[in-house]
Amino acid sequence: MGTAPNPDSQGNPSPLKRSRRERWISDMTAGCIATMIGIGLTFGIDSCVDRQREKRELRKSMIQAIDNLGERFDDTGLWLGKILDQNRIYEIADSIYYSTGDLPDSISLKFRTTIPYIKVSAFDHDFEKIFRGSYQLWQLQSQSDSLVYYIGQCYDGLNTVEATCRELTEGMLEQIGLINATKHFHRTSPREWTLALLTDPQFQYFMSIRWGKATVASYTFRDAKTDYERNVVPRGEKLSK
C-alpha cells in the first residue's frame, strides 16, 4: 500500500499535485477559449448572414424603385402631355380668332374636345414612402454618386411635376365651371363653346398663368427623365447582373 506524496520541506505541493492542477487549468483555459471562439464564430456567421440578407433586400428595393420610377414617368408624362396639348390648342385658337375674327370648324372642334379633357393621376405613392423610409437606404443618401441618391432626385422631380399637373388640372375644371355658371355654354356648339372661353378675360388670365407653370413643369420633367435614363437605368442594369 503506497503512501500519498507529501509536500516538500518548504510546504510546496508535490509534483503530482502540481501536474494535476496545471492540467485542470489548461483544460479549463482551452474550454473557455473554445467556447469564446464558438460564440465568436456564431455571431460572425450570423452577422455575415444578416449583412448578406440586408444587401439582397437593398438590391431588391432599388430594382423595384427603378421599375416604380419608370411607371411613374410614363404616367406623369401622359398627364403633362395632355396639359401641354390644351395650352397649344388654346394658343392656336386664340391667335386665329384675334387675327381673323373667325374660327375654322376644325379648330373649334379640336378646342372643344381637348380643353375639357381631364387626366388625373391615381398613381400609388406608397412604395416611394417605404423606399424613403428605409434606414439602410437613407444612410446611402449622402453619397452623391450612389444609385439611391439619383432615385431620390428622380422622385423629387416627379413629385414637383405631379403637384403642378394636379394644380393646373383642378384649375381648368374650376374655370370651366365658373364661366359656365354665367354663360351656360356647356351644351352649345363647338364654336360657341370655344368662343365662350376665348373671349372671357378671367379665362385668358388663367391660361397665361397656366402656360408659364406648365412650361416650368415640362423642363423639370425633362431634367428628371434625363437623370433617370443617364444615372438610374445604367446603374440598375449593373445591379441586375
Side-chain angles (χ1 to χ4, degrees):
M1 185 173 180
T3 58
N6 294 320
D8 59 19
S9 59
Q10 296 180 352
N12 296 321
S14 66
L16 181 57
K17 284 188 176 181
R18 285 202 303 270
S19 177
R20 289 175 179 173
R21 186 175 65 181
E22 289 171 357
R23 275 202 310 272
W24 180 82
I25 292 174
S26 177
D27 291 342
M28 285 293 294
T29 301
C32 289
I33 292 173
T35 300
M36 288 188 289
I37 291 174
I39 293 173
L41 286 173
T42 300
F43 279 107
I45 292 172
D46 289 344
S47 177
C48 183
V49 170
D50 289 341
R51 284 196 298 270
Q52 291 299 321
R53 183 174 64 251
E54 288 178 359
K55 287 181 179 179
R56 286 195 300 270
E57 291 174 353
L58 291 175
R59 177 176 170 275
K60 180 180 178 181
S61 294
M62 286 189 284
I63 291 174
Q64 290 176 332
I66 294 170
D67 292 340
N68 180 258
L69 278 173
E71 293 173 359
R72 279 185 61 179
F73 270 115
D74 290 343
D75 183 75
T76 305
L78 289 173
W79 194 4
L80 180 60
K82 291 299 180 183
I83 290 173
L84 295 176
D85 286 344
Q86 290 172 329
N87 290 352
R88 278 190 289 268
I89 190 59
Y90 172 81
E91 287 293 314
I92 292 171
D94 183 73
S95 176
I96 292 175
Y97 178 72
Y98 284 101
S99 62
T100 66
D102 197 8
L103 275 178
D105 290 340
S106 59
I107 297 298
S108 297
L109 182 60
K110 182 69 173 177
F111 190 98
R112 178 66 179 84
T113 56
T114 303
I115 290 295
Y117 181 88
I118 302 300
K119 167 70 174 70
V120 178
S121 175
F123 208 87
D124 187 1
H125 291 71
D126 287 344
F127 181 81
E128 179 191 350
K129 295 176 182 177
I130 295 172
F131 181 82
R132 288 186 181 275
S134 172
Y135 174 72
Q136 292 88 347
L137 292 171
W138 176 82
Q139 287 181 309
L140 298 175
Q141 284 281 17
S142 60
Q143 300 179 20
S144 60
D145 194 46
S146 72
L147 176 58
V148 178
Y149 170 81
Y150 287 116
I151 289 174
Q153 291 291 96
C154 289
Y155 274 131
D156 290 341
L158 279 172
N159 289 334
T160 299
V161 175
E162 288 173 358
T164 300
C165 288
R166 189 175 300 107
E167 175 192 349
L168 299 183
T169 298
E170 293 172 356
M172 177 65 82
L173 283 173
E174 181 182 6
Q175 289 298 315
I176 292 175
L178 289 173
I179 298 171
N180 186 61
T182 57
K183 296 185 178 180
H184 306 291
F185 66 94
H186 189 63
R187 296 184 182 277
T188 59
S189 67
R191 187 176 189 281
E192 292 173 313
W193 198 96
T194 301
L195 289 175
L197 293 179
L198 283 180
T199 58
D200 187 89
Q202 181 178 335
F203 190 74
Q204 292 170 355
Y205 174 75
F206 167 73
M207 289 303 295
S208 67
I209 299 299
R210 190 181 203 255
W211 183 274
K213 291 184 176 181
T215 300
V216 172
S218 67
Y219 288 138
T220 302
F221 181 83
R222 181 199 62 190
D223 292 343
K225 186 68 177 292
T226 299
D227 214 18
Y228 175 75
E229 293 173 346
R230 290 181 179 177
N231 297 314
V232 174
V233 173
R235 285 173 169 81
E237 291 174 349
K238 292 179 181 178
L239 197 66
S240 300
K241 294 179 180 178

